[in-house]
């Protein structure tokens, strides 16, 4: 299991000494995020019907996939100035009225990171997860702020941490779309490449849709943090269903896109 799949948002209490049984094909949501002792990882089983073998891609689709895979392969590195600047930009987008005292600061916990150094949580999604956050904040600032501040709906007393959930969504999409394979082996994955060939920001846009949909599912299910696994599974199933609708020509046609506000 690679670094991204090394640890996960915890959602289920397990007896002392018991471990979570999961292989790499089953993992959909992972990060260095643990919500408490005695809790297991977020896992989902891949159905046999999900795999169809390799699909033929157009040259444009192959090139777009390779560029996206290069983004996915970039780990977050706190020694790189570009990564530092991106992290500062995220803070400024999230809390424009509050000055950040440092890239390592207790302030980051306000955003839902596990500790004072967000770089320890980015292992679950790499630098692309930070890029996803920034795309969301810049293109759908109202929805971004609504989710960050939990401003919509009847919220649980035990809410999911915003930042950690965002990293998990990045990882879930990578797995759902089979983006670490040379070529997608699922119909959902190859369908997504059609959108990617038309829009280089398709992955970032789908991230925004998925994050808002996840929160919508969270509220609909009246979930608490112990239900995070079920919410992520429900979100993935709904996204897969919408991506395979016959009348979808761009991601903006997805029913869940309408949940977003700028």
């Amino acid at each position: 299991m690679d670094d991204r799949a090394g640890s996960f948002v915890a959602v289920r209490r397990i007896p002392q000494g018991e471990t979570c049984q999961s292989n790499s094909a089953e993992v959909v949501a992972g990060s260095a995020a643990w919500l408490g002792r005695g809790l297991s990882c977020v896992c989902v089983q891949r159905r046999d019907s999900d795999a169809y073998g390799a699909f033929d891609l157009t040259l444009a689709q192959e090139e777009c996939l390779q560029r996206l895979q290069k983004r996915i392969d970039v780990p977050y590195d706190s020694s790189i100035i570009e990564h530092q600047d991106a992290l500062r930009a995220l803070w400024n987008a999230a809390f424009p009225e509050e000055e950040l005292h440092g890239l390592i600061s207790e302030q980051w916990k306000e955003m839902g990171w596990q500790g004072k150094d967000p770089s320890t949580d980015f292992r679950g999604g790499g630098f692309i997860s930070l890029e996803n956050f920034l795309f969301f904040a810049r293109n759908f600032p109202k929805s971004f702020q609504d989710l960050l501040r939990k401003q919509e709906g009847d919220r649980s007393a035990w809410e999911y941490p915003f930042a950690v959930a965002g990293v998990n969504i990045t990882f879930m999409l990578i797995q759902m779309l089979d983006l670490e394979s040379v070529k997608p082996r699922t119909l959902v994955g190859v369908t997504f490449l059609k959108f990617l060939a038309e829009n280089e920001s398709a992955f970032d846009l789908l991230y925004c849709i998925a994050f808002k949909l996840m929160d919508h599912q969270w509220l609909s299910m009246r979930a608490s943090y112990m239900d995070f696994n079920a919410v992520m599974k429900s979100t993935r199933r709904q996204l897969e269903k919408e991506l395979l609708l016959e009348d979808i020509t761009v991601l903006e046609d997805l029913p869940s896109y309408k949940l977003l506000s700028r």
Side-chain angles (χ1 to χ4, degrees), residues 164-221:
V164 166
V167 175
N168 273 268
I169 288 171
T170 296
F171 188 75
M172 180 270 284
L173 290 177
I174 291 171
Q175 297 299 303
M176 182 186 83
L177 301 172
D178 201 21
L179 294 176
E180 293 182 305
S181 299
V182 176
K183 293 182 179 181
R185 297 163 297 179
T186 66
L187 186 56
V188 169
V190 76
T191 298
F192 169 74
L193 291 185
K194 297 176 182 178
F195 301 125
L196 186 64
E198 297 296 326
N199 179 4
E200 285 277 359
S201 299
F203 185 81
D204 303 272
L205 179 56
L206 187 60
Y207 171 89
C208 301
I209 296 169
F211 208 148
K212 186 63 177 177
L213 174 60
M214 186 277 292
D215 189 73
H216 179 76
Q217 301 283 71
W218 178 274
L219 292 173
S220 297
M221 296 169 64

Side-chain angles (χ1 to χ4, degrees), residues 57-67 193 196-197 200:
L57 305 179
T58 67
L59 178 60
Q61 289 172 347
E62 287 187 357
E63 291 175 346
C64 288
L65 174 60
Q66 290 168 3
R67 285 193 291 270
L193 291 185
L196 186 64
E200 285 277 359

Side-chain angles (χ1 to χ4, degrees), residues 29-90:
S31 77
W34 290 91
L35 301 184
R37 295 179 179 177
L39 299 176
S40 70
C41 61
V42 171
C43 306
V44 71
Q45 292 184 345
R46 172 177 288 176
R47 299 176 298 271
D48 291 339
S49 59
D50 289 343
Y52 289 86
F55 289 86
D56 291 330
L57 305 179
T58 67
L59 178 60
Q61 289 172 347
E62 287 187 357
E63 291 175 346
C64 288
L65 174 60
Q66 290 168 3
R67 285 193 291 270
L68 179 55
Q69 288 173 331
K70 287 181 179 179
R71 290 179 62 194
I72 291 170
D73 287 341
V74 177
Y76 179 84
D77 187 340
S78 58
S79 68
I80 298 177
I81 298 299
E82 177 190 358
H83 293 196
Q84 296 175 14
D85 291 344
L87 192 56
R88 290 191 186 93
L90 177 60

Side-chain angles (χ1 to χ4, degrees), residues 118-136:
S119 67
T120 61
D121 287 337
F122 276 121
R123 184 177 61 177
F127 184 62
I128 193 172
S129 59
L130 178 51
E131 293 178 317
N132 290 157
F133 272 124
L134 286 171
F135 183 91
F136 193 6

